[in-house]
Amino acid sequence: MRRASREAEPETPRNRYANVRRKADWTIDQNWPSYSTQEHDRWRRLFERQEKLLPGRACEPFLDAKAKLGLSGAGIPDFTDLSRKLATLTGWSVVPVAGLIPDDAFFDHLASRRFPAGAFIRPEAELDYLEEPDVFHDVFGHVPLLANPVYARFLEAYGKGGRRALERGQLHNLARLYWYTVEFGLIVSPEGLRIFGAGIMSSPAETIFSLENSSSNRIGFNLERVMRTKYIINDFQQTYFVIDSFEKLLHDCYQDFGALYDRLRAAPDIEAHALLEGDRIVTKGDFRYFRAKGKAPASAA
């Protein structure tokens, strides 16, 4: 609930960029000066909330990169300034978009080291959760690791592989790789498991749940296993995959996916909760959270 002392905010569309002019590549003008005081304040509150949670939970490369880019709670970043900093580190830039864009355009941007980030910030009523990625999710969650050279190469390679997945009709397999790494990935560190996925990094609830709740499986990353595994869109993940390092992730994925796609076409999907013989189990979930909500699968109940 909005605090009574907070200045009343004028009624505005949920996404005020929804109807702005789009260029051929689906980018828009961020028009940074047009952000209101209330929108900058919303960024500040979201930023400060995550800042308190991430030490000891976020991976060090993320925290280091965020510091290098100078991300702060001062207000919504200007993408031009942010891109200038990224360019000197890894050659990436951040381009504003109104919302979700077509898959082929998304892949083209990534392959060219451009990250398409939603320019709107979530409304007050959806401060804790929203389904469509906004500027906080995209910039706070995704952008810092683009300053890490190895991770930046991985995401570029992912973009270059997207066209082939589309042509083969196997985008769902490639999307699972993105989901379980870029959005909801965990990584090993000398101090224990840490977060690197943006979907976790920008969510206070999942920041804690992904590492500290006993409900979900945590399994060592295996490329083919990940690309066969379904995922949960509107709740916490029933399985998190754990990478050993960004270098190992890049090595595992920097290959011709042709033979892999052939195997995946013939292989059945794996349910999000399932454990298989041969899985490198880090923690086996007890599914208590999902059971309490009536969402535990019969085989896990």
Side-chain angles (χ1 to χ4, degrees):
M1 181 179 295
R2 190 183 307 167
R3 298 174 187 172
S5 61
R6 192 172 302 284
E7 181 182 351
E9 186 171 351
E11 288 296 321
T12 56
R14 180 178 180 276
N15 178 354
R16 64 185 180 85
Y17 292 90
N19 297 315
V20 300
R21 186 179 69 83
R22 293 160 172 79
K23 301 173 187 175
D25 63 0
W26 291 85
T27 61
I28 62 172
D29 179 7
Q30 186 190 13
N31 191 13
W32 186 84
S34 71
Y35 287 116
S36 68
T37 300
Q38 292 90 351
E39 287 173 314
H40 284 302
D41 180 65
R42 209 172 300 140
W43 168 279
R44 177 189 60 78
R45 286 181 284 137
L46 289 165
F47 187 98
E48 291 178 353
R49 181 169 65 176
Q50 285 306 99
E51 278 284 276
K52 294 175 182 177
L53 293 175
L54 292 184
R57 295 187 175 100
C59 66
E60 285 302 317
F62 176 91
L63 297 175
D64 291 345
K66 183 166 66 65
K68 284 181 181 178
L69 293 175
L71 286 183
S72 74
I76 297 169
D78 185 324
F79 289 8
T80 300
D81 293 340
L82 196 54
S83 295
R84 191 178 300 116
K85 295 174 184 177
L86 272 175
T88 64
L89 295 168
T90 58
W92 275 76
S93 63
V94 183
V95 294
V97 293
L100 297 174
I101 64 176
D103 293 321
D104 57 348
F106 179 70
F107 292 132
D108 285 347
H109 281 300
L110 295 186
S112 301
R113 294 202 164 203
R114 297 186 300 263
F115 188 82
F120 83 99
I121 191 161
R122 65 194 68 183
E124 192 75 29
E126 296 179 84
L127 201 68
D128 292 333
Y129 174 79
L130 80 166
E131 291 187 4
E132 184 181 4
D134 71 337
V135 68
F136 184 75
H137 168 83
D138 281 342
V139 173
F140 183 91
H142 283 286
V143 168
L145 281 177
L146 297 178
N148 178 280
V150 179
Y151 183 88
R153 286 181 61 201
F154 164 70
L155 203 57
E156 177 188 9
Y158 181 90
K160 290 178 177 177
R163 283 282 187 180
R164 190 174 190 185
L166 284 170
E167 291 166 359
R168 293 183 59 113
Q170 290 182 265
L171 180 58
H172 63 288
N173 294 124
L174 192 66
R176 292 166 180 171
L177 173 60
Y178 191 92
W179 186 268
Y180 280 120
T181 57
V182 176
E183 292 289 359
F184 292 96
L186 301 179
I187 187 171
V188 172
S189 81
E191 296 75 30
L193 296 185
R194 293 292 184 267
I195 299 160
F196 78 90
I200 308 176
M201 205 73 75
S202 59
S203 165
E206 197 141 11
T207 292
I208 296 172
F209 183 91
S210 64
L211 293 177
E212 298 166 31
N213 195 291
S214 62
S215 296
S216 300
N217 300 318
R218 298 172 184 88
I219 302 173
F221 178 86
N222 175 280
L223 177 61
E224 189 164 340
R225 165 72 155 97
V226 165
M227 292 176 75
R228 289 178 57 195
T229 305
K230 297 178 182 179
Y231 52 79
I232 306 298
I233 294 176
N234 58 357
D235 208 334
F236 299 131
Q237 298 306 298
Q238 295 180 344
T239 294
Y240 296 93
F241 287 92
V242 181
I243 67 170
D244 294 320
S245 67
F246 293 137
E247 289 81 4
K248 182 67 163 53
L249 177 64
L250 177 63
H251 177 270
D252 288 348
C253 297
Y254 210 82
Q255 59 172 284
D256 184 338
F257 276 17
L260 173 58
Y261 281 136
D262 289 340
R263 293 196 301 273
L264 291 171
R265 192 182 294 278
D269 287 340
I270 300 169
E271 295 300 325
H273 69 277
L275 290 174
L276 303 183
E277 185 177 351
D279 281 343
R280 178 163 58 92
I281 299 173
V282 180
T283 61
K284 181 178 180 180
D286 60 22
F287 290 87
R288 63 177 183 175
Y289 164 83
F290 304 102
R291 189 178 298 114
K293 296 184 71 175
K295 292 185 177 182
S299 57

